[in-house]
Coordinates of all heavy atoms in Angstrom, one line a residue:
M15 N -11.6 -13.1 -29.1 CA -12.7 -13.8 -28.5 C -12.7 -13.6 -27.0 O -13.2 -14.4 -26.3 CB -12.7 -15.3 -28.9 CG -12.9 -15.5 -30.4 SD -14.3 -14.7 -31.0 CE -13.9 -14.7 -32.7
N16 N -12.1 -12.6 -26.5 CA -12.1 -12.4 -25.1 C -13.4 -11.8 -24.6 O -13.7 -11.9 -23.4 CB -10.9 -11.5 -24.7 CG -9.6 -12.2 -24.9 OD1 -9.5 -13.4 -24.8 ND2 -8.5 -11.5 -25.1
V17 N -14.1 -11.2 -25.5 CA -15.3 -10.6 -25.1 C -16.3 -11.6 -24.5 O -16.9 -11.5 -23.5 CB -16.0 -9.8 -26.3 CG1 -17.3 -9.2 -25.8 CG2 -15.0 -8.8 -26.8
M18 N -16.4 -12.7 -25.3 CA -17.3 -13.7 -24.8 C -16.9 -14.3 -23.5 O -17.7 -14.5 -22.6 CB -17.3 -14.9 -25.8 CG -18.4 -14.7 -26.9 SD -18.5 -16.2 -27.9 CE -19.1 -17.3 -26.8
D19 N -15.6 -14.4 -23.3 CA -15.1 -15.0 -22.1 C -15.5 -14.0 -20.9 O -16.0 -14.4 -19.9 CB -13.6 -15.2 -22.1 CG -13.1 -15.9 -20.9 OD1 -13.8 -16.9 -20.5 OD2 -12.1 -15.5 -20.4
E20 N -15.2 -12.8 -21.2 CA -15.5 -11.8 -20.1 C -17.0 -11.7 -19.8 O -17.4 -11.7 -18.6 CB -15.0 -10.4 -20.6 CG -13.5 -10.2 -20.5 CD -13.0 -10.4 -19.1 OE1 -13.5 -9.7 -18.2 OE2 -12.1 -11.1 -18.9
R21 N -17.8 -11.8 -20.8 CA -19.2 -11.7 -20.6 C -19.7 -13.0 -19.8 O -20.4 -12.9 -18.9 CB -19.9 -11.7 -21.9 CG -20.0 -10.3 -22.5 CD -20.8 -10.3 -23.8 NE -22.1 -10.9 -23.6 CZ -22.9 -11.3 -24.6 NH1 -22.4 -11.2 -25.9 NH2 -24.1 -11.8 -24.4
F22 N -19.1 -14.1 -20.2 CA -19.5 -15.3 -19.5 C -19.1 -15.2 -18.0 O -19.9 -15.5 -17.2 CB -18.8 -16.5 -20.2 CG -19.1 -17.8 -19.5 CD1 -20.4 -18.4 -19.6 CD2 -18.2 -18.4 -18.7 CE1 -20.7 -19.5 -19.0 CE2 -18.5 -19.6 -18.1 CZ -19.8 -20.2 -18.2
R23 N -18.0 -14.8 -17.8 CA -17.5 -14.8 -16.4 C -18.3 -13.8 -15.6 O -18.7 -14.0 -14.5 CB -16.0 -14.4 -16.4 CG -15.1 -15.6 -16.8 CD -13.7 -15.2 -17.0 NE -13.2 -14.5 -15.7 CZ -12.1 -13.9 -15.7 NH1 -11.3 -13.8 -16.8 NH2 -11.6 -13.4 -14.6
G24 N -18.5 -12.7 -16.2 CA -19.3 -11.6 -15.5 C -20.7 -12.1 -15.2 O -21.2 -12.0 -14.1
A25 N -21.3 -12.7 -16.2 CA -22.7 -13.2 -16.0 C -22.7 -14.3 -15.0 O -23.6 -14.3 -14.2 CB -23.2 -13.7 -17.4
Q26 N -21.7 -15.1 -15.0 CA -21.8 -16.2 -14.1 C -21.6 -15.7 -12.6 O -22.3 -16.1 -11.7 CB -20.6 -17.1 -14.4 CG -20.7 -18.4 -13.6 CD -19.5 -19.4 -13.9 OE1 -18.4 -18.9 -14.2 NE2 -19.8 -20.6 -14.0
V27 N -20.8 -14.8 -12.5 CA -20.6 -14.2 -11.1 C -21.8 -13.5 -10.6 O -22.2 -13.7 -9.5 CB -19.4 -13.2 -11.1 CG1 -19.4 -12.5 -9.8 CG2 -18.1 -13.9 -11.4
R28 N -22.5 -12.8 -11.6 CA -23.6 -12.1 -11.1 C -24.8 -13.0 -10.9 O -25.6 -12.7 -10.0 CB -24.0 -11.1 -12.2 CG -23.2 -9.8 -12.1 CD -23.5 -8.9 -13.3 NE -22.9 -7.6 -13.1 CZ -23.7 -6.5 -12.8 NH1 -25.0 -6.6 -12.9 NH2 -23.1 -5.3 -12.6
S29 N -25.0 -14.0 -11.7 CA -26.2 -14.8 -11.6 C -26.1 -15.8 -10.5 O -27.2 -16.3 -10.1 CB -26.4 -15.5 -13.0 OG -25.4 -16.4 -13.2
L30 N -25.0 -16.1 -10.0 CA -24.9 -17.0 -8.9 C -25.5 -16.3 -7.7 O -24.9 -15.4 -7.1 CB -23.4 -17.4 -8.7 CG -22.9 -18.5 -9.6 CD1 -21.5 -18.8 -9.3 CD2 -23.7 -19.8 -9.5
P31 N -26.6 -16.8 -7.2 CA -27.2 -16.2 -6.0 C -26.4 -16.4 -4.8 O -25.9 -15.4 -4.2 CB -28.5 -17.0 -5.9 CG -28.5 -18.1 -6.9 CD -27.2 -18.1 -7.6
R32 N -26.2 -17.6 -4.5 CA -25.3 -17.8 -3.3 C -24.7 -19.2 -3.5 O -25.3 -20.2 -3.3 CB -26.1 -17.8 -2.1 CG -25.2 -18.1 -0.9 CD -26.0 -17.8 0.4 NE -26.2 -16.3 0.6 CZ -26.3 -15.7 1.7 NH1 -26.3 -16.4 2.8 NH2 -26.5 -14.4 1.8
P33 N -23.5 -19.2 -3.9 CA -22.8 -20.5 -4.1 C -22.7 -21.3 -2.8 O -22.7 -20.7 -1.8 CB -21.4 -20.1 -4.6 CG -21.2 -18.6 -4.2 CD -22.6 -18.0 -4.1
N34 N -22.6 -22.5 -3.0 CA -22.4 -23.3 -1.8 C -21.0 -23.0 -1.2 O -20.5 -21.9 -1.4 CB -22.4 -24.8 -2.2 CG -23.8 -25.2 -2.7 OD1 -24.8 -24.6 -2.3 ND2 -23.8 -26.2 -3.6
K35 N -20.5 -23.9 -0.6 CA -19.2 -23.7 0.0 C -18.2 -23.5 -1.2 O -18.2 -24.4 -2.0 CB -18.8 -24.9 0.8 CG -18.5 -24.4 2.2 CD -18.1 -25.6 3.1 CE -18.1 -25.3 4.5 NZ -17.9 -26.5 5.4
R36 N -17.5 -22.5 -1.2 CA -16.5 -22.3 -2.2 C -15.2 -22.4 -1.6 O -14.9 -21.9 -0.5 CB -16.7 -21.0 -2.9 CG -17.9 -21.0 -3.8 CD -17.7 -20.1 -5.0 NE -17.0 -18.8 -4.6 CZ -17.0 -17.8 -5.3 NH1 -17.6 -17.8 -6.5 NH2 -16.4 -16.7 -5.0
F37 N -14.3 -23.0 -2.4 CA -12.9 -23.1 -1.9 C -12.1 -22.2 -2.8 O -12.5 -21.7 -3.8 CB -12.5 -24.5 -1.9 CG -13.3 -25.3 -0.9 CD1 -14.5 -25.9 -1.4 CD2 -12.9 -25.5 0.4 CE1 -15.3 -26.6 -0.5 CE2 -13.7 -26.3 1.2 CZ -14.9 -26.8 0.8
A38 N -10.9 -22.1 -2.5 CA -10.0 -21.3 -3.3 C -10.0 -21.6 -4.7 O -10.0 -22.8 -5.1 CB -8.6 -21.4 -2.7
A39 N -10.1 -20.7 -5.6 CA -10.2 -20.9 -7.0 C -8.7 -21.1 -7.5 O -7.8 -20.6 -6.9 CB -10.8 -19.8 -7.7
G40 N -8.7 -21.9 -8.5 CA -7.4 -22.1 -9.2 C -6.5 -23.0 -8.5 O -5.3 -23.1 -8.7
R41 N -7.1 -23.8 -7.6 CA -6.2 -24.8 -6.9 C -5.9 -26.0 -7.9 O -6.7 -26.2 -8.8 CB -6.9 -25.4 -5.7 CG -7.2 -24.4 -4.7 CD -8.0 -25.0 -3.5 NE -9.2 -25.6 -4.1 CZ -9.7 -26.7 -3.5 NH1 -9.2 -27.2 -2.4 NH2 -10.8 -27.2 -4.0
V42 N -4.9 -26.7 -7.6 CA -4.6 -27.8 -8.5 C -4.4 -29.0 -7.6 O -4.3 -28.9 -6.3 CB -3.3 -27.6 -9.3 CG1 -3.5 -26.5 -10.3 CG2 -2.1 -27.3 -8.4
C43 N -4.5 -30.2 -8.2 CA -4.3 -31.4 -7.4 C -3.1 -31.4 -6.6 O -2.0 -30.9 -7.0 CB -4.3 -32.6 -8.4 SG -4.1 -34.2 -7.6
A44 N -3.2 -32.0 -5.4 CA -2.0 -32.0 -4.5 C -1.1 -33.1 -4.8 O 0.0 -33.2 -4.2 CB -2.5 -32.1 -3.1
A45 N -1.5 -34.0 -5.7 CA -0.6 -35.1 -6.0 C 0.6 -34.6 -6.8 O 0.5 -33.7 -7.6 CB -1.3 -36.1 -6.9
P46 N 1.8 -35.0 -6.4 CA 3.0 -34.5 -7.1 C 3.0 -34.8 -8.6 O 2.7 -35.9 -9.0 CB 4.1 -35.3 -6.4 CG 3.5 -36.2 -5.4 CD 2.0 -36.0 -5.4
G47 N 3.3 -33.8 -9.3 CA 3.3 -33.9 -10.8 C 2.0 -33.8 -11.5 O 1.9 -33.8 -12.7
C48 N 0.9 -33.6 -10.7 CA -0.4 -33.5 -11.3 C -0.8 -32.1 -11.2 O -0.8 -31.5 -10.2 CB -1.4 -34.4 -10.5 SG -3.0 -34.3 -11.2
G49 N -1.2 -31.5 -12.4 CA -1.6 -30.1 -12.4 C -3.0 -30.0 -12.7 O -3.5 -28.9 -13.1
T50 N -3.8 -31.0 -12.4 CA -5.2 -30.9 -12.7 C -5.9 -29.9 -11.8 O -5.7 -29.9 -10.6 CB -5.9 -32.3 -12.5 OG1 -5.2 -33.3 -13.3 CG2 -7.3 -32.2 -12.8
K51 N -6.6 -29.0 -12.5 CA -7.3 -28.0 -11.7 C -8.4 -28.6 -10.9 O -9.2 -29.4 -11.4 CB -7.8 -26.9 -12.6 CG -6.7 -26.1 -13.2 CD -7.3 -25.0 -14.1 CE -6.2 -24.2 -14.8 NZ -6.7 -23.2 -15.7
L52 N -8.6 -28.1 -9.7 CA -9.7 -28.5 -8.9 C -10.9 -27.6 -9.0 O -10.7 -26.4 -9.1 CB -9.3 -28.7 -7.5 CG -8.1 -29.6 -7.2 CD1 -7.7 -29.7 -5.8 CD2 -8.5 -31.0 -7.7
S53 N -12.0 -28.1 -8.9 CA -13.2 -27.2 -8.9 C -13.3 -26.5 -7.6 O -12.8 -26.9 -6.5 CB -14.4 -28.1 -9.0 OG -15.6 -27.4 -8.6
M54 N -13.9 -25.3 -7.6 CA -14.0 -24.5 -6.4 C -14.9 -25.3 -5.4 O -14.9 -25.0 -4.2 CB -14.7 -23.2 -6.8 CG -13.7 -22.2 -7.1 SD -14.4 -20.5 -7.2 CE -15.6 -20.8 -8.5
Y55 N -15.7 -26.2 -5.9 CA -16.6 -26.9 -5.1 C -16.1 -28.2 -4.6 O -16.7 -29.0 -3.9 CB -17.9 -27.1 -5.8 CG -18.5 -25.8 -6.3 CD1 -18.3 -25.4 -7.6 CD2 -19.1 -25.0 -5.4 CE1 -18.8 -24.2 -8.0 CE2 -19.6 -23.7 -5.8 CZ -19.5 -23.4 -7.2 OH -19.9 -22.2 -7.6
N56 N -14.9 -28.5 -5.1 CA -14.2 -29.7 -4.7 C -13.5 -29.5 -3.4 O -12.6 -28.7 -3.3 CB -13.3 -30.2 -5.8 CG -12.6 -31.5 -5.4 OD1 -12.8 -32.0 -4.3 ND2 -11.7 -31.9 -6.2
K57 N -14.0 -30.1 -2.4 CA -13.4 -29.9 -1.1 C -12.1 -30.7 -0.8 O -11.5 -30.6 0.2 CB -14.4 -30.1 0.1 CG -14.8 -31.5 0.2 CD -15.7 -31.6 1.4 CE -16.2 -33.0 1.7 NZ -17.1 -33.1 2.9
W58 N -11.9 -31.6 -1.8 CA -10.7 -32.5 -1.6 C -9.5 -31.8 -2.2 O -9.6 -30.9 -3.0 CB -11.0 -33.8 -2.2 CG -12.3 -34.3 -1.8 CD1 -13.5 -34.4 -2.6 CD2 -12.7 -34.9 -0.5 NE1 -14.5 -34.9 -1.8 CE2 -14.1 -35.2 -0.6 CE3 -12.0 -35.1 0.7 CZ2 -14.7 -35.7 0.5 CZ3 -12.7 -35.6 1.7 CH2 -14.0 -36.0 1.7
R59 N -8.4 -32.3 -1.8 CA -7.2 -31.7 -2.3 C -6.7 -32.4 -3.5 O -5.6 -32.0 -4.1 CB -6.1 -31.8 -1.2 CG -6.5 -30.9 0.0 CD -5.6 -31.2 1.2 NE -4.2 -31.1 0.8 CZ -3.3 -31.8 1.3 NH1 -3.5 -32.8 2.1 NH2 -2.0 -31.7 0.9
Y60 N -7.3 -33.4 -4.0 CA -6.8 -34.1 -5.1 C -7.9 -34.1 -6.3 O -9.1 -33.9 -6.0 CB -6.5 -35.6 -4.8 CG -5.4 -35.7 -3.7 CD1 -5.7 -35.7 -2.4 CD2 -4.1 -35.7 -4.1 CE1 -4.7 -35.8 -1.4 CE2 -3.1 -35.8 -3.2 CZ -3.4 -35.8 -1.9 OH -2.4 -35.9 -0.9
C61 N -7.4 -34.3 -7.4 CA -8.3 -34.4 -8.6 C -9.0 -35.7 -8.5 O -8.7 -36.6 -7.7 CB -7.6 -34.2 -9.9 SG -6.5 -35.6 -10.3
W62 N -10.0 -35.9 -9.4 CA -10.8 -37.2 -9.4 C -9.9 -38.4 -9.6 O -10.3 -39.5 -9.3 CB -11.9 -37.1 -10.4 CG -11.4 -37.0 -11.8 CD1 -11.0 -35.8 -12.4 CD2 -11.1 -38.0 -12.7 NE1 -10.6 -36.1 -13.7 CE2 -10.6 -37.5 -13.9 CE3 -11.2 -39.4 -12.6 CZ2 -10.3 -38.2 -15.0 CZ3 -10.8 -40.2 -13.7 CH2 -10.4 -39.6 -14.9
Q63 N -8.7 -38.2 -10.2 CA -7.9 -39.3 -10.4 C -7.1 -39.7 -9.2 O -6.8 -40.9 -9.0 CB -6.9 -39.0 -11.5 CG -7.5 -39.1 -12.9 CD -6.5 -38.8 -14.0 OE1 -5.9 -37.8 -13.9 NE2 -6.4 -39.7 -14.9
H64 N -6.8 -38.8 -8.4 CA -5.8 -39.0 -7.3 C -6.5 -39.0 -5.9 O -6.0 -39.5 -4.9 CB -4.7 -38.0 -7.3 CG -3.8 -38.1 -8.5 ND1 -3.7 -37.2 -9.4 CD2 -3.0 -39.1 -8.8 CE1 -2.8 -37.6 -10.3 NE2 -2.4 -38.8 -10.0
E65 N -7.7 -38.5 -5.9 CA -8.3 -38.4 -4.6 C -8.7 -39.9 -4.2 O -9.2 -40.6 -5.0 CB -9.5 -37.5 -4.6 CG -10.7 -38.2 -5.3 CD -11.9 -37.3 -5.3 OE1 -11.7 -36.1 -5.1 OE2 -13.0 -37.7 -5.4
P66 N -8.6 -40.1 -2.9 CA -9.1 -41.4 -2.4 C -10.6 -41.6 -2.5 O -11.3 -40.6 -2.5 CB -8.6 -41.4 -1.0 CG -8.4 -40.0 -0.6 CD -8.1 -39.3 -1.8
V67 N -11.0 -42.8 -2.7 CA -12.4 -43.0 -2.8 C -13.1 -42.7 -1.5 O -12.6 -43.2 -0.4 CB -12.7 -44.5 -3.2 CG1 -14.2 -44.7 -3.3 CG2 -12.1 -44.8 -4.5
H68 N -14.1 -41.9 -1.5 CA -14.7 -41.6 -0.3 C -16.2 -41.6 -0.3 O -16.9 -42.1 0.5 CB -14.2 -40.2 0.3 CG -14.0 -39.2 -0.8 ND1 -15.1 -38.7 -1.5 CD2 -12.9 -38.8 -1.4 CE1 -14.6 -37.8 -2.4 NE2 -13.3 -37.9 -2.4
S69 N -16.7 -41.0 -1.4 CA -18.2 -40.7 -1.4 C -18.9 -41.8 -2.1 O -20.1 -41.9 -2.1 CB -18.5 -39.4 -2.0 OG -17.8 -39.2 -3.2
Y70 N -18.3 -42.7 -2.8 CA -19.0 -43.7 -3.5 C -18.2 -45.0 -3.4 O -17.0 -45.0 -3.3 CB -19.3 -43.3 -4.9 CG -18.0 -43.2 -5.8 CD1 -17.6 -44.3 -6.5 CD2 -17.3 -42.0 -5.8 CE1 -16.4 -44.2 -7.2 CE2 -16.2 -41.9 -6.6 CZ -15.8 -43.0 -7.3 OH -14.6 -42.9 -8.0
V71 N -18.9 -46.1 -3.6 CA -18.2 -47.4 -3.6 C -18.2 -47.8 -5.0 O -19.2 -47.8 -5.7 CB -19.0 -48.4 -2.7 CG1 -18.3 -49.8 -2.8 CG2 -19.2 -47.9 -1.3
P72 N -17.0 -48.2 -5.5 CA -16.8 -48.5 -6.9 C -17.7 -49.6 -7.4 O -18.5 -49.4 -8.3 CB -15.3 -49.1 -6.9 CG -14.7 -48.4 -5.7 CD -15.8 -48.2 -4.7
R73 N -17.8 -50.7 -6.7 CA -18.7 -51.8 -7.2 C -19.2 -52.6 -6.0 O -18.5 -53.2 -5.3 CB -18.0 -52.7 -8.2 CG -16.7 -53.3 -7.6 CD -16.2 -54.4 -8.5 NE -15.7 -53.8 -9.8 CZ -15.1 -54.5 -10.7 NH1 -14.9 -55.8 -10.5 NH2 -14.6 -54.0 -11.8
G74 N -20.5 -52.5 -5.9 CA -21.2 -53.3 -4.9 C -20.5 -53.1 -3.5 O -20.0 -52.1 -3.2
R75 N -20.6 -54.2 -2.8 CA -20.0 -54.1 -1.5 C -18.6 -54.6 -1.5 O -18.3 -55.6 -2.2 CB -20.8 -55.0 -0.5 CG -20.9 -56.4 -0.9 CD -21.7 -57.3 0.0 NE -23.1 -57.4 -0.5 CZ -23.9 -58.4 -0.1 NH1 -23.5 -59.3 0.7 NH2 -25.1 -58.5 -0.6
R76 N -17.8 -53.9 -0.9 CA -16.4 -54.3 -1.0 C -16.0 -55.1 0.3 O -16.3 -54.7 1.4 CB -15.5 -53.1 -1.1 CG -15.7 -52.1 0.0 CD -14.7 -51.0 -0.2 NE -14.9 -49.9 0.8 CZ -14.3 -48.8 0.8 NH1 -13.4 -48.5 -0.1 NH2 -14.5 -47.9 1.8
K77 N -15.3 -56.2 0.0 CA -14.9 -57.0 1.2 C -13.7 -56.4 1.9 O -12.8 -56.0 1.2 CB -14.6 -58.4 0.7 CG -15.8 -59.2 0.2 CD -15.3 -60.6 -0.2 CE -16.5 -61.5 -0.6 NZ -16.0 -62.8 -1.1
S78 N -13.8 -56.4 3.1 CA -12.6 -56.1 3.8 C -11.8 -57.4 3.8 O -12.4 -58.4 3.8 CB -12.9 -55.6 5.3 OG -13.7 -56.6 5.9
R79 N -10.5 -57.2 3.7 CA -9.7 -58.5 3.6 C -9.9 -59.4 4.8 O -9.3 -59.1 5.9 CB -8.3 -58.1 3.3 CG -7.8 -57.0 4.3 CD -6.4 -56.6 3.9 NE -5.9 -55.5 4.8 CZ -4.7 -55.0 4.8 NH1 -3.9 -55.5 3.9 NH2 -4.3 -54.1 5.6
A80 N -10.7 -60.4 4.6 CA -10.9 -61.3 5.7 C -9.7 -62.3 5.8 O -9.3 -62.7 6.9 CB -12.2 -62.1 5.5
A81 N -9.2 -62.6 4.7 CA -8.1 -63.6 4.7 C -6.8 -62.8 4.7 O -6.5 -62.1 3.8 CB -8.2 -64.5 3.5
A82 N -6.1 -63.0 5.8 CA -4.8 -62.2 5.9 C -3.7 -63.2 5.8 O -3.5 -63.9 6.8 CB -4.8 -61.4 7.1
Ligands
ZN4 ZN1 -4.3 -35.4 -9.6

C-alpha cells in the first residue's frame, strides 16, 4: 500500500500553492521523554500536551493570584 502513500504525498506537495510558514518537518516535542511529532505549522517546540498555554485561555478569565 505504498503507492497510495506516495501518491498522497506527491499530490499534497504539488497542490499546496504556498504553505504558510513552515518549520522543519519531523520535529518532535522538546519535552524530555515525549516523542510526539510536531506539525510543520506548529511554531512551538512542544506538543499540545506540553506546550505552555499561549494562544487561548482555558476557561473564562483567569485570576492572577491576588492572595499571596
Ligand atoms: Zn510533548
Side-chain angles (χ1 to χ4, degrees):
M15 296 307 164
N16 286 334
V17 178
M18 271 186 66
D19 187 44
E20 285 298 311
R21 277 182 56 197
F22 178 73
R23 285 171 56 190
Q26 191 179 34
V27 169
R28 277 174 167 250
S29 62
L30 280 179
R32 178 168 292 206
N34 295 330
K35 236 179 196 176
R36 288 209 318 194
F37 298 86
R41 296 177 307 150
V42 294
C43 178
C48 180
T50 302
K51 289 181 183 176
L52 300 180
S53 164
M54 273 190 298
Y55 305 99
N56 182 359
K57 66 176 181 178
W58 312 105
R59 293 168 54 215
Y60 297 90
C61 70
W62 61 273
Q63 279 182 309
H64 292 115
E65 77 179 20
V67 178
H68 39 71
S69 50
Y70 66 93
V71 180
R73 55 171 69 176
R75 59 183 96 158
R76 56 180 177 182
K77 290 182 178 178
S78 52
R79 42 184 183 178

